Amino acid sequence: MQVDGESWVVDIEEDAVLVNGEPVSVDLTRSGIPELYSVLLDGSSHEVLVSSDVSGCDVTVDGQVLRAEVQDEPTRTLMKGRGPVDAAGGDLQVTAPISGLVVSVAVADGDTVEAGQTLVVLEAMKMENDITAPRAGVVGQVAVADGDRVEINHVMLVLLEESAPDG
């Protein structure tokens, strides 16, 4: 789980809750409306309001709003495997990290992109995943279109060096 950009691994087991491998004492009770909870965390009581959307949820704790993005273990493992890319130049194939459906292609041949910019939105297991530019560059060739089905490692586009000449 990521909360306001900080990562936490939360394991919920039958008889324990672990946060980053450390056990925590927590008791959760719904308080009337579905989005409001009373949470007893390590002896401290908190009212928590949760409002969800497709990319995560906003959690309001004691008047402070935190943005949380929750990933299941397979997704977390997949994303961890997509570590940083070396900034070395040359062509870079951007491949599908998972099999799925191309929801949208956000770039076209010749577009200049920044590192972290969304290139393609891929849907897998009813979740939308932004496939982002691993480095700055120029889109050299888009090989997918909205509605295409792709398998894992399918080349979706080629990213050229930012200073690549036209031609």
Side-chain angles (χ1 to χ4, degrees), residues 2 4 8 11 27-28 36 60 75 77 83 86 88 90 92 94 97 101 106 110 115 117-118 122 140 145 164-165:
Q2 280 202 330
D4 284 352
W8 302 81
D11 293 313
D27 184 29
L28 178 73
L36 185 62
T60 305
T75 303
T77 301
D86 188 354
L92 175 66
V94 177
L101 177 71
Q117 181 177 334
T118 297
L122 188 61

Side-chain angles (χ1 to χ4, degrees), residues 87-112:
D91 295 354
L92 175 66
Q93 294 182 338
V94 177
T95 59
I98 51 179
S99 299
L101 177 71
V102 175
V103 175
S104 66
V105 179
V107 295
D109 292 359
D111 286 356
T112 299

